[in-house]
Amino acid sequence: MGKKEMRMSRLVEIINSRGYIPIKEIAQLLHVSEMTVRRDLAAVEKSGLVKNVNGVLVSNSGNTVQVLDKEYDLLNETQVQNEVKKLIGRFAATMIVPGDCVIFDTGTTTEQIAMAIPPEMDFEALCFTRNTLERLCRLPHVNIALAGGYYYPRTQLFAGEDGVNFIRSIRANKLFISAAGIHEDLGISCANSYEVPIKRAILQSAKQHILVADSSKFGVVRSAYFCDLEDIDIVITDTGLSPEWRNILQERGVTLNQV
């Protein structure tokens, strides 16, 4: 989770919000040297996100890579790729065995996992979102831990310092983590900065990291970076994932399951 990756994510965010910006100006905004910006730019240009035109960084809006800044709303997300998310959720649920301690991240795909767990399953669960909590509460043999904090209605997420500290005190053998953007060079990102401390805490608290995300999230960059592809052990996605991404995951040592 290096400063370089966070700086590169911020660089892309600034360029796409402005359309174009001189290298000298972005160096001042990021409080780094122009040489540092040029080094970062080499990796960002390789990804196709921006172009360097005579010292001016230009947003490459014609590229197939998506840089999204739209506001996330969980209720709206329930209408997006819903059938695919159900398939991912059903497959992920089969990975839970009796006696597991499982962390469920925020989002609609992780909710689908909770919905697909058989009622006789005896396990422990940690969550911090209202939608997943409601699904888990319907299971008679699950012991639930809830990390609390300030409630964010758009994501149905509870977030705060006390909740993060509580997560850090827990140890789990499986984590189902979500993402709004997955990029080869700029890492894995989410829609809201307040999610980042939670996501980093659950990554530290779990032995096995399982990313659940439909194929539309790959090649996308969101502004809130939280980890790299190398921090993930398993990816569960749909059959729409491109051959290029299958190769990337294999090269990074990530196990891929397509459903």
Side-chain angles (χ1 to χ4, degrees):
M1 315 250 186
K3 292 182 179 179
K4 179 179 178 180
E5 288 80 8
M6 297 178 69
R7 191 173 61 243
M8 288 166 64
S9 180
R10 178 60 178 155
L11 183 149
V12 173
E13 181 185 3
I14 292 172
I15 295 170
N16 280 277
S17 65
R18 296 272 295 268
Y20 64 91
I21 186 171
I23 288 178
K24 182 176 182 179
E25 184 176 345
I26 202 165
Q28 294 172 346
L29 289 172
L30 297 176
H31 305 290
V32 295
S33 67
E34 292 183 33
M35 185 178 295
T36 297
V37 172
R38 291 181 188 277
R39 283 198 298 264
D40 291 348
L41 178 62
V44 177
E45 275 193 294
K46 182 180 176 181
S47 72
L49 291 170
V50 299
K51 295 182 290 186
N52 182 357
V53 182
N54 298 324
V56 177
L57 307 186
V58 181
S59 173
N60 192 7
S61 58
N63 193 272
T64 56
V65 174
Q66 302 175 59
V67 181
L68 303 177
D69 291 312
K70 68 176 183 179
E71 191 169 15
Y72 180 93
D73 188 289
L74 187 137
L75 293 178
N76 291 337
E77 287 296 313
T78 59
Q79 309 302 318
V80 179
Q81 298 275 46
N82 195 43
E83 292 304 315
V84 167
K85 291 175 183 178
K86 286 181 180 178
L87 291 173
I88 293 171
R90 290 170 189 161
F91 184 91
T94 66
M95 301 180 69
I96 301 173
V97 299
D100 269 346
C101 182
V102 182
I103 300 176
F104 294 85
D105 194 12
T106 182
T108 53
T109 306
T110 46
E111 179 185 358
Q112 291 292 339
I113 302 172
M115 292 175 66
I117 298 170
E120 66 273 13
M121 184 65 67
D122 182 359
F123 72 107
E124 297 181 1
L126 168 66
C127 68
F128 35 84
T129 59
R130 193 187 80 183
N131 61 319
T132 299
L133 175 64
E134 289 175 348
R135 303 298 183 181
L136 290 172
C137 284
R138 299 175 186 179
L139 301 173
H141 301 293
V142 60
N143 295 315
I144 304 171
L146 177 68
Y150 181 83
Y151 180 63
Y152 291 85
R154 285 189 175 274
T155 53
Q156 298 190 19
L157 173 69
F158 297 94
E161 185 177 353
D162 290 341
V164 170
N165 289 334
F166 178 71
I167 291 169
R168 288 173 178 158
S169 72
I170 299 291
R171 290 296 178 264
N173 57 311
K174 291 186 177 80
L175 159 65
F176 293 108
I177 191 165
S178 62
I182 305 161
H183 191 267
E184 177 184 1
D185 297 312
L186 299 181
I188 305 176
S189 52
C190 54
N192 304 290
S193 60
Y194 62 77
E195 298 177 59
V196 173
I198 293 177
K199 287 183 179 288
R200 292 183 177 175
I202 58 180
L203 284 162
Q204 292 173 354
S205 291
K207 180 180 179 180
Q208 188 177 52
H209 304 156
I210 306 165
L211 176 65
V212 289
D214 64 80
S215 58
S216 70
K217 304 296 195 308
F218 290 79
V220 173
V221 176
R222 298 301 293 260
S223 60
Y225 159 84
F226 63 87
C227 78
D228 296 319
L229 277 172
E230 288 81 1
D231 297 311
I232 300 300
D233 300 305
I234 298 171
V235 165
I236 305 175
T237 188
D238 57 85
T239 56
L241 192 67
S242 69
E244 291 79 12
W245 265 106
R246 292 199 292 269
N247 292 334
I248 290 169
L249 294 174
Q250 183 178 14
E251 291 170 358
R252 303 292 175 91
V254 180
T255 300
L256 173 63
N257 292 283
Q258 291 181 269
V259 297

